[in-house]
Every structure is written in C-alpha cells, then in structure tokens.
Amino acid sequence: MQQLKTKVLIIGAGTGGYVAGIRCGQLGLDTVLVDGGDGLGGTCLNVGCIPSKAIIHAAGKFETVAKAANGGTLGITAAAPAIDLKQTVEWKDGIVRKLNAGVAALLKKAKVKVIKGWANFQDAKTCIVQTDDGDIRITAEHVILATGSEPVELPFLPFGGDVISSTEALSLSEVPKKLVVVGGGYIGLELGIAFRKLGAEVAIVEMAERILPLYDKALTDPVAKWLTSHGVELHLGARAGGFGDGKLSITTKDGEPLQLEADKVLVTVGRRPRTQGWGLENMGVAMAGPFVKIDQRCATSMKNVWAVGDLTGEPMLAHKGSAQGEVVAEIIAGHDRVFDPVTIAAVCFTEPEIVSAGLGPSDVSGRDDVIQSVFPFAAIGRALAIEAGEDGGFVRVIASKTDHRILGIQAVGQHVSELSNSFAQMLEMGAVLEDVAGTIHVHPTLGEAFHEASLRALGHAIHI
C-alpha cells in the first residue's frame, strides 16, 4: 500500500474544501485534497448551485419566447418555441466541465495534490483512500473535513425510477408533462418554477401552511402570486405518501386523501450533512446534533482537526463553506483568524427572487427600538423598464432607532440576487442608514430601491 504524509489533508472538493486547498497552497502548506464525491467543485458546481441556475436561466429564455408567441410582448412577436431539454442539459454540462477544469487548474497552480478516491478514516489523522490505482494510506498533521451534504430521502418515497432528487432533475432528457414537487423550500420551488416555465404541469406539496416557511410572508407572497397566476397547484399543509402507477398519494390539509398524477416526483425536503461512510466515528470529534461541532475557529474537539461547510450546520450555503475554508487555511499557516461574520446572506432564485441578510421582522417582533422601512420596485424606473416592478417586489431595511445602525435587509423582485453582496457588505461594515443615504446610487438601477428604503427610514424618501 502506498504511504503518503502531508501537512494538510482535506476531505471533500466542494466549495469549502477546494477553496481551503487553494488558500493552503498559496500559503505554502503541503496539501493533499481527496475528492470522492461529485467532482471538483462538489455539489454546488456539479449538481447544485451552478447547473440549477443554468437551467433556470434557460427556462427564463424559453418563457420569454413563449410570451412573444402568445400574443406578443413589448411589441415583439415570435413563432411558438420548442425545447430539446437534452441539448439544454448538454449546454449546462459544458459549463460544469469548464468550471471543473478551472478549479483543477487553480489547485494545480497552488501545488495541491488532488487524489480521486474515497477516504475512510482509521483515526483522527490517518485515512485509507481507495483509488482506481490501489489504496493509499495518508497521514496528516492537520485534517480539514469538508464532506458537504446530501439530499434527504423519504422512506416511503425512496429515490429511484420516477422518484428523483434535484441531482436527477438537472439531468432529465425531456420536460416531464406532469411534475409533482414534494417540499416547498427553495430547492423545490426553484426547480418547480423552472420546469413550469418549460411547459410542465407542476404541483407542489408542502407540509407547512405556506411556501418557503423560513422566510416571512411579505417576502414569499410575490412568489405565491406567481405560482398561482401560472397555474401551479399548491397543496399546503399536506403530507405526501407513496407513489405508484403514475400517481402520488397525499393527505390534504383537511385530512382528505388525494392522488396526484405525476410523470416525475421531485423530492426536495432538505439536505443532511454527509457523515456516513468515511469513518467519522473513528475520529473522536464531538457532534452538535447531526453536525460536527466546531468553535469560532472552525476547530473540532480533536486537536488539528477542522471542519467547514454543510458538515458544520446551518446555514448550509456554499459561500459560507468557502469563507470557512479560507479562515482554516490561514489559521493553520499561523494567522490569527476567527470565523465570525455579521451576516451570511441567503438567496432564493425563485420567480421573483428573494434575498435576506441579517435580522428579519420575526427577529425584531415586539421591539419598539427599531425602524422598518419598505420601498417598492413599482416606484423604480429601472424595474419598470425590465418588467420587474409589477410583481409586488420591494426592498426592506431594518435599523436601530437610536443610532440608525442597519440590522437587516431583505428584498424580493426580479434580479435582486445581484443586490445581495451590497446588503451583506453594509451589514459587515456596520453601516448606518446615513451611510446608504449618503452614497450616490447609479440611475437607473434596481439598487436605487435600497437607497430609497434607507431614505424613507430617515423620513425623507424622494420617489414615494
């Protein structure tokens, strides 16, 4: 068996693992990265964030042409569109391959040794990696765990055949005529909306009383409006059952049995940390429920064993894992770092999009020491010019009454995902309302709604 010793061993090549690897290499640390999952870039790049946004983009293009064919839009008419989903998926796969190659090149430039195989730990610092060329025994001074997460499978709806996860949904060869989505969270809604735009008949089954239950109702109402106006069936407060003979059994909110016809059933009821199958139980690290317990340095209870990304708990977001990966690499190199962000912004790429950063209305409910200010996109010229001002979208700012410190920012509307970094930056810098109000915002842009919401909080909005 081949023997290998290294300063840093990273398990998992997702956004947490590969970023940690690149940063370790930049800092001159001898680093080995073991990739045994979805490929370089992990879930996000291969079967998650990037491919789903590619399919969502293609669906939006298809919808635009379909509108032009159905009576015209903006004075534009077109012939009825058709889609070859197989070609769309091939285009999406090309993007993934390009990004895979880019990550590989960056790791090579950083002199990180990448091993393709599945690791199994014997103790906290030693693992055996099964590769196509034989087993390799690796010992390391530092270990970074970045194994990511996987879709939750329901025991009565096991994956296989026409019951699919988001992974299979992103590689379908044709648009299903009837798609039932089990789970009304962001993954299910993003894909459900995309397939509705592509022409599928879509039904959504959600146990909660409304969609996107982790977001406040004001943010989710425009999305619910879009679903209703586009003929998406919503079964809220309902429970899914078994699937057979092309029908999904559900129990409605009123306790009535109902069967929904489905060519495909997309199960998106959440994700869980990938803790099984690689010897975590042999490492002696403490757990926090289903997650690996870490401190502000991303250190586990075992000396020189670190954990980043989805393995460490909510929010299970790619950009959190990347930031943690950088922090850990710098700590190993001797830098004084902690992972202590003011906020980690979250985005739903629904129709319309949703952004949330910092505190929301439920976090400040009952408090009389805060200001909440809302500015609608209907009063923003750029929004109207790109048909983004008529879906109930807005920007909301929550700030302290006493010192005007911004505590939270939310938005719903078309393309608001592009505002998320501005929101996070203001919160991270400890901005006050006057900072936003005093920044000259470019006209015409959607970002003007953030400016106007801050002005309104100060009592002198201009355009409302």
Side-chain angles (χ1 to χ4, degrees), residues 51-253:
S52 67
K53 303 313 167 283
I55 296 297
I56 288 168
H57 174 72
K61 292 287 189 182
F62 184 86
E63 182 190 38
T64 298
V65 179
K67 284 182 178 178
N70 187 25
T73 178
L74 309 179
I76 302 168
T77 57
I83 185 166
D84 184 339
L85 190 60
K86 186 176 180 181
Q87 287 189 30
T88 306
V89 168
E90 288 175 355
W91 164 75
K92 176 264 295 181
D93 289 343
I95 295 171
V96 171
R97 286 192 297 271
K98 182 177 181 179
L99 292 172
N100 280 147
V103 172
L106 291 169
L107 288 165
K108 183 177 180 180
K109 181 181 178 181
K111 299 181 180 179
V112 176
K113 181 178 180 62
V114 177
I115 297 176
K116 180 70 174 178
W118 193 261
N120 202 318
F121 279 86
Q122 297 177 310
D123 58 44
K125 306 291 175 57
T126 308
C127 73
I128 295 176
V129 181
Q130 297 174 323
T131 76
D132 291 339
D133 299 321
D135 293 351
I136 304 173
R137 188 174 187 269
I138 305 176
T139 57
E141 183 179 336
H142 293 266
V143 173
I144 303 175
L145 302 176
T147 55
S149 62
E150 58 195 6
V152 172
E153 185 177 42
L154 295 172
F156 49 87
L157 280 175
F159 295 131
D162 292 326
V163 179
I164 60 176
S165 72
S166 56
T167 298
E168 292 77 35
L170 293 169
S171 296
L172 292 175
S173 59
E174 59 183 23
V175 178
K177 184 178 179 182
K178 294 180 182 293
L179 173 69
V180 176
V181 181
V182 178
Y186 75 94
I187 297 175
L189 285 180
E190 286 182 1
L191 293 177
I193 288 170
F195 278 106
R196 181 68 191 109
K197 288 181 177 181
L198 292 171
E201 295 178 32
V202 177
I204 294 172
V205 180
E206 167 59 43
M207 286 179 60
E209 296 297 322
R210 60 183 183 84
I211 58 170
L212 298 168
L214 296 180
Y215 293 86
D216 67 84
K217 189 173 182 297
L219 289 174
T220 61
D221 275 350
V223 179
K225 179 181 177 182
W226 188 96
L227 294 170
T228 300
S229 65
H230 287 77
V232 176
E233 286 184 40
L234 289 177
H235 299 276
L236 303 177
R239 291 179 177 272
F243 176 71
D245 298 325
K247 294 182 179 180
L248 176 71
S249 298
I250 73 168
T251 303
T252 69
K253 178 180 178 181

Side-chain angles (χ1 to χ4, degrees), residues 376-390 414 444-446 448-449:
F377 280 115
I380 295 295
R382 171 67 171 167
L384 295 175
I386 60 173
E387 299 181 283
E390 300 177 358
Q414 292 182 45
T445 63
L446 297 179
E448 289 178 278

Side-chain angles (χ1 to χ4, degrees), residues 382-444:
R382 171 67 171 167
L384 295 175
I386 60 173
E387 299 181 283
E390 300 177 358
D391 55 13
F394 61 84
V395 173
R396 178 205 293 138
V397 176
I398 300 173
S400 166
K401 275 186 182 179
T402 54
D403 61 5
H404 293 175
R405 185 78 56 194
I406 297 175
L407 305 175
I409 316 165
Q410 293 83 39
V412 57
Q414 292 182 45
H415 311 297
V416 295
S417 58
E418 299 303 327
L419 301 179
S420 58
N421 295 316
S422 176
F423 295 172
Q425 182 182 36
M426 285 297 178
L427 287 164
E428 195 67 40
M429 294 178 65
V432 295
L433 293 170
E434 287 82 358
D435 290 324
V436 183
T439 300
I440 298 175
H441 284 64
V442 175
H443 175 79

Side-chain angles (χ1 to χ4, degrees), residues 14 47 54 75 169 173 176 182 221 241 244 258 287 289 313 319 321 344 353 382 445 460:
V47 293
S173 59
V182 178
D221 275 350
L258 184 67
M287 304 295 289
H319 40 290
I344 301 174
E353 296 174 348
R382 171 67 171 167
T445 63
H460 54 85

